[in-house]
Amino acid sequence: MHGVQIVGTSEELREAIGSVDGDEPLIVQRRADGDLLGLTIVLARDGRPVARIQQRTRRTWPPLAGASSLAVSEPVDETLADAATRMLRAAGYFGLVQLQFVAGPGGTQLIDANPRWYGSLSLALAAGLNLPAIWHAVVTGGELPGSPPPYREGISYRHLALDLTAALHGRPGLVLRRAARPRVGAMWSPDDRLAGGLLGARAALSYGRRQADRVRRLAGSGAGAGRA
């Protein structure tokens, strides 16, 4: 996988597309400027919101259009949440979904929807909102909250693996910037160190394989150009 690549001109876009293997999935998306917001909603089968949480990204990797490496829980934007609920209800959706928005000078734009477990789910759990349990209750017909339960604001989420990746790409200072307390990580949990260690090792090995594949692709491209 190439991961996220940012281009600014038509020529750069053509070069980026040309570097992708024929059988590799490719998504081209227009970049929007502004803050990255994450709004997670759990809808009951009747379309009623039974859980909500909002987070704001403070740092991403890659820096201009990447995944959240640092995010903080904040109050729900009621106008945004109401509009999102109406959209989901109109589509007949129920269950958990994380919606990602970019809030900028041109307004708030929806850029992604994740109807699954998402990367920063640990932030909701640390904030006191057990989204998996509420989602399970929706699916199985269990008891649901009468209204969306409260959660703690100001909880920091940090994805250390992304900061380590940034360090390998010339941004070592990010590794030393610890998130403000209270905080939670993407993988590591003090009460489950074995699982966290195994998951971290898997992430490191996966990154190593991707880098090795990238080197092989570049070497193959160079060899092909030389033969031509």
Side-chain angles (χ1 to χ4, degrees), residues 2-119:
H2 281 62
V4 177
Q5 185 171 351
I6 304 168
V7 299
T9 66
S10 297
E11 182 180 352
E12 290 177 349
L13 177 59
R14 285 193 293 270
E15 291 179 355
I17 293 175
S19 68
V20 177
D21 296 336
D23 59 347
E24 185 172 353
L26 174 66
I27 298 175
V28 179
Q29 185 174 18
R30 181 178 178 181
R31 182 174 172 269
D33 292 318
D35 288 347
L36 179 61
L37 303 180
L39 174 64
T40 304
I41 302 176
V42 181
L43 291 180
R45 291 178 180 269
D46 60 3
R48 177 172 53 92
V50 290
R52 306 178 308 176
I53 186 170
Q54 183 169 313
Q55 65 191 59
R56 185 176 297 265
T57 296
R58 302 298 187 191
R59 190 167 68 232
T60 67
W61 184 262
L64 296 179
S68 298
S69 58
L70 181 63
V72 180
S73 60
E74 65 176 21
V76 168
D77 181 327
E78 295 294 342
T79 301
L80 184 63
D82 289 346
T85 299
R86 290 196 302 271
M87 176 189 70
L88 295 167
R89 188 182 294 135
Y93 185 84
F94 68 89
L96 178 143
V97 62
Q98 189 213 30
L99 304 172
Q100 292 186 332
F101 301 86
V102 172
T108 302
Q109 304 176 57
L110 176 65
I111 63 169
D112 198 8
N114 298 310
R116 53 169 174 75
W117 305 128
Y118 58 97

Side-chain angles (χ1 to χ4, degrees), residues 210-223:
R210 290 198 302 270
Q211 291 301 102
D213 289 342
R214 182 182 181 188
V215 170
R216 283 194 293 270
R217 281 197 302 268
L218 292 175
S221 299

Side-chain angles (χ1 to χ4, degrees), residues 172-190:
L174 296 181
V175 177
L176 302 178
R177 295 184 191 175
R178 305 193 71 182
R181 291 181 180 274
R183 58 176 177 256
V184 67
M187 300 180 185
W188 183 256
S189 177

